[in-house]
Each structure stands twice: as structure tokens, then as C-alpha cells.
Amino acid sequence: MLNIVELLKDLAGYCVASQGIDAVISAKRDVIELYMVFKWLTLIMMWVFGLNGFWSSAVVAYLIAQNVFTYFDHHVWSVRGNLDEDRIKMRFVMVLQAVVFNVVCFSYLFANQFNGDFNWGSFSSSNPLIPLSFSFMNTLSGGSSVATPTTAAGVVLLGLQVFTTFVFLTVILTKATTKEGV
């Protein structure tokens, strides 16, 4: 009930329901595509304008949670329709996009809200490429020498990134790219 994209999909489907099932499916797909653009623009604009307060962190936390939930729901819990080879390829691409979005969301948090919770050593976290690289390294290897957490909040944030990466790469990606269990 708290997933904005699901609410918008339902609203779009309701608005075109009289035009048939194809119109409903098309409207829902359009909402998904618009939402994907919106979430990326939101994150980029917050980073560009240097927003780093409670509300911006809450928005990013919501985006991370909904990113994981949406892909878990649609690729693990409730797979709908037949999974032919083209659909499996598309699902793979979509999950990879979700992983990259997850990485960029955590990069934003490392660079802005939780910057002081890490020792950046000789690196400057004011350069957005440093927190982005740190986040990618955490995703790919589960650890990095770019920065180390210095507070409990830093440890928790790093743990959350490793956990969400694990969910995406082991559970969701595996289910999204196979026909088994459908």
C-alpha cells in the first residue's frame, strides 16, 4: 500500500479499464517507465543540489526499500505470465538497472548524509566519484579500502548495502533469469 509505483499503476489501469486489457497493460507499463525516470531524476537532483537532511535521507531510504521490494515482488514472489527468452533477457537488464540504482542511492548516502561516519583517508569524499567508487566496490567485493566506517551508523549503512546487494544478486537475479519455479 505504500508503494507509489503500484498505486500509480492501479490508478492508470483504472482510468483506461474501459478500453480493454491491452490498454490497461500499456498504461501500467508507461507508469513503470515514467517512475523509473522520476526516481533517477529525484536522486540526481538531490545530489546536484547537495540535499543532505533528514527528509532527503528518508526519500533515498524509501527509494532503496521500494527498489528492493518491487524487484523482489515481481521477480521472486509473483512472477506473472510466460517467461520466454526475450522476457528473461529483459528481466536481467531490469535487475541490473535496479542494482546500479541501489549502488547510486548508497553512494548518495555515503557522500552526503553519512559522510562524517567514514574515514576517507587520503580520498576526498567531496568528489562524487569517490563515494560512487566506494559503493561499487562494496557491491562487487563486499569491502573496500577507500573508506572505513568510524561510527555505528556507518557500519549499519555498509551492512545494509551488502545485504541489499546480496538480495539482488543472489535471490532476485537468480529467479529473474530462470524459468524454474514459475
Side-chain angles (χ1 to χ4, degrees), residues 2-182:
L2 297 176
N3 191 327
I4 291 172
V5 73
E6 292 299 326
L7 293 172
L8 293 173
K9 281 172 43 183
D10 290 345
L11 179 62
Y14 177 77
C15 289
V16 298
S18 63
Q19 298 173 19
I21 190 69
D22 290 338
V24 170
I25 291 170
S26 179
K28 288 183 176 190
R29 286 183 179 155
D30 290 345
V31 165
I32 292 169
E33 290 173 11
L34 287 172
Y35 178 75
M36 290 175 74
V37 170
F38 171 77
K39 73 180 187 179
W40 276 101
L41 284 176
T42 300
L43 182 61
I44 291 167
M45 296 308 289
M46 286 176 24
W47 201 333
V48 166
F49 290 112
L51 301 178
N52 63 356
F54 170 79
W55 290 110
S56 59
S57 294
V59 167
V60 174
Y62 174 82
L63 290 173
I64 291 169
Q66 290 310 306
N67 192 40
V68 173
F69 171 78
T70 298
Y71 283 86
F72 200 87
D73 181 45
H74 290 283
H75 294 285
V76 177
W77 281 331
S78 57
V79 178
R80 296 166 190 93
N82 295 328
L83 292 179
D84 59 17
E85 190 173 326
D86 289 336
R87 187 163 177 216
I88 290 172
K89 288 177 185 176
M90 180 55 80
R91 288 164 59 93
F92 176 75
V93 169
M94 298 305 290
V95 170
L96 288 182
Q97 179 274 135
V99 170
V100 170
F101 184 75
N102 193 60
V103 166
V104 176
C105 282
F106 277 99
S107 300
Y108 168 84
L109 292 173
F110 294 141
N112 292 290
Q113 186 66 24
F114 294 92
N115 188 5
D117 295 295
F118 291 88
N119 177 359
W120 294 94
S122 62
F123 299 101
S124 171
S125 63
S126 63
N127 177 349
L129 293 177
I130 300 302
L132 187 61
S133 298
F134 177 60
S135 188
F136 267 110
M137 285 187 256
N138 292 331
T139 296
L140 298 175
S141 68
S144 165
S145 60
V146 172
T148 55
T150 57
T151 65
V155 171
V156 169
L157 187 64
L158 209 51
L160 284 171
Q161 184 184 16
V162 171
F163 174 73
T164 58
T165 299
F166 173 79
V167 169
F168 273 116
L169 296 181
T170 60
V171 179
I172 297 172
L173 189 60
T174 301
K175 288 293 280 186
T177 58
T178 61
K179 291 183 182 183
E180 289 81 29
V182 178

